[in-house]
Amino acid sequence: MTSDRHNIRMTRQRQVILEELRKFMHHPSAEEIYEVVRRRLPRISLGTVYRNLEVLSELGEIRKLEFGGTIKRFDGDPEDHYHIRCNLCDRVDNVPMPHLEDIETRIHLETDYRIIGHRLEFFGLCPECSRNMISPGLKKLNKNN
Amino acid sequence: MTSDRHNIRMTRQRQVILEELRKFMHHPSAEEIYEVVRRRLPRISLGTVYRNLEVLSELGEIRKLEFGGTIKRFDGDPEDHYHIRCNLCDRVDNVPMPHLEDIETRIHLETDYRIIGHRLEFFGLCPECSRNMISPGLKKLNKNN
DNA sequence: ATGGCTGCAAAGGATTTGCACAATG
DNA sequence: CATTGTGCAAATCCTTTGCAGCCAT
């Protein structure tokens, strides 16, 4: 798990995981990916899915998203961009907003940290949930924030 | 744990947890808080610490930070502000930068989400770690990203 | 007195890991 | 063929919870 990987092999499992992840329109958890990949490789194990998501993200092929809660989500698009999560159904979407390039330099000057990157995430209620939520459901809002 | 709390009591445990959390200059994990609180209340349990951090955060007295990794961190200052985390030592500090008020409206218009809030986090190497890091340690960088 | 809180310990859920075997380059 | 990767299951880690007694209001 440390980054001394030289001979990365493209196994069938790795291949399928990557392909399937890229088909998602939202950003699935390891479990969700497992479910889909399974349909093509019935004998694959959850552990393998985790291991490969890890490798692929180290290779920069995909992104690991670290939202609230314990569940990690993955993004087949390795380019820098921002996300928004629905507090009710937990769906994660992309945010159409340019990447803030300049702020990192500013923050470096102010904090003396050597900046590697940043993450900007919005949370709220997705269109569907806002619509469905006439009033019940409100109580559960706090859960992940 | 659902938000129908009416009669919140200010117990000694809750009091001390809040006091100690507010003394931290960085943003500690539940475990760290437990260690400190313990010195004043030797019989307190980790479970109680977790429960109270949850309650205090629901009350808006403190903030729960959801950084990468599984460990949650807590912030004694409930005001909106941004954070930066050191990828090596895992320290979390505040970022001196005004809160971006306006972007939420913009994102609402673009995504149709009803926006509740946003979170902006930087990560990199804290001053001390950048200094100490002549070259070893580099391998571990990927760990939380 | 009466809910809310606590300590304790056990349960939980997501992720990681050890191992023996299988597959890749 | 030497290694890297896999499946399986057990282990780990942080966090949550059930319960019986305790304590603030």
Side-chain angles (χ1 to χ4, degrees):
Chain A
M1 235 69 329
T2 5
S3 37
D4 356 60
R5 310 188 176 285
H6 348 143
N7 298 318
I8 311 279
R9 294 174 183 172
M10 186 47 74
T11 59
R12 179 120 186 77
Q13 288 86 334
R14 194 111 82 203
Q15 181 67 45
V16 172
I17 288 170
L18 186 53
E19 282 174 20
E20 292 300 327
L21 173 53
R22 296 226 157 115
K23 287 189 197 157
F24 276 92
M25 290 309 295
H26 66 285
H27 307 315
S29 61
E31 192 72 41
E32 285 180 79
I33 296 167
Y34 175 55
E35 290 308 332
V36 180
V37 167
R38 220 177 197 211
R39 301 213 268 267
R40 292 173 58 187
L41 306 173
R43 300 194 46 76
I44 199 173
S45 73
L46 226 202
T48 297
V49 172
Y50 273 106
R51 270 183 297 230
N52 280 319
L53 289 170
E54 185 63 36
V55 174
L56 290 168
S57 114
E58 279 183 30
L59 293 176
E61 290 292 323
I62 68 174
R63 286 267 187 170
K64 216 191 302 176
L65 309 182
E66 321 248 25
F67 263 99
T70 13
I71 306 151
K72 282 191 186 102
R73 297 180 162 273
F74 297 85
D75 187 341
D77 174 5
E79 291 306 307
D80 277 328
H81 59 276
Y82 304 127
H83 297 102
I84 182 163
R85 190 190 74 220
C86 177
N87 275 3
L88 281 182
C89 71
D90 237 49
R91 173 195 181 84
V92 175
D93 284 299
N94 288 336
V95 167
M97 167 177 165
H99 195 254
L100 304 170
E101 301 297 348
D102 45 322
I103 47 176
E104 296 190 4
T105 342
R106 253 191 301 155
I107 302 303
H108 167 61
L109 295 176
E110 305 241 38
T111 63
D112 237 24
Y113 265 70
R114 174 179 147 208
I115 313 283
I116 294 179
H118 70 274
R119 174 163 49 236
L120 171 56
E121 299 165 345
F122 296 85
F123 44 94
L125 269 39
C126 73
E128 192 177 345
C129 284
S130 335
R131 227 178 291 119
N132 297 343
M133 199 200 58
I134 315 299
S135 76
L138 251 177
K139 296 181 182 164
K140 289 191 159 180
L141 259 182
N142 274 358
K143 268 195 91 176
N144 281 309
N145 286 287
Chain B
M1 234 65 333
T2 3
S3 35
D4 356 59
R5 309 191 179 285
H6 347 143
N7 298 317
I8 311 280
R9 295 179 182 168
M10 185 47 75
T11 58
R12 180 118 185 78
Q13 288 87 334
R14 197 161 289 165
Q15 181 68 45
V16 173
I17 288 171
L18 185 54
E19 282 174 21
E20 291 301 326
L21 173 52
R22 295 225 156 116
K23 287 190 197 157
F24 276 92
M25 291 308 295
H26 65 287
H27 306 314
S29 61
E31 192 72 40
E32 285 179 80
I33 296 167
Y34 174 55
E35 290 309 332
V36 181
V37 167
R38 222 178 193 205
R39 300 212 268 268
R40 292 174 58 188
L41 305 173
R43 301 194 44 77
I44 199 172
S45 73
L46 225 202
T48 297
V49 172
Y50 273 106
R51 271 183 296 229
N52 280 318
L53 289 170
E54 185 62 39
V55 174
L56 289 169
S57 116
E58 281 183 29
L59 293 177
E61 290 293 322
I62 68 174
R63 286 266 188 169
K64 216 190 303 177
L65 309 181
E66 320 250 24
F67 262 99
T70 11
I71 306 152
K72 282 189 186 104
R73 296 181 163 274
F74 297 85
D75 187 341
D77 174 6
E79 290 306 308
D80 278 328
H81 59 276
Y82 304 128
H83 297 103
I84 182 163
R85 189 189 75 220
C86 177
N87 275 3
L88 281 182
C89 71
D90 237 48
R91 174 196 180 82
V92 174
D93 283 298
N94 288 336
V95 167
M97 168 179 165
H99 195 253
L100 304 169
E101 301 297 348
D102 44 321
I103 48 176
E104 295 190 3
T105 343
R106 253 189 303 156
I107 302 303
H108 168 62
L109 295 175
E110 305 241 38
T111 63
D112 237 22
Y113 265 70
R114 174 178 147 209
I115 313 284
I116 295 179
H118 70 272
R119 174 161 50 235
L120 171 57
E121 300 165 344
F122 296 84
F123 44 93
L125 270 39
C126 74
E128 192 177 346
C129 284
S130 335
R131 228 177 292 119
N132 297 343
M133 201 200 57
I134 315 298
S135 75
L138 249 178
K139 296 180 181 165
K140 290 193 159 178
L141 257 183
N142 275 357
K143 267 196 90 178
N144 281 310
N145 287 286

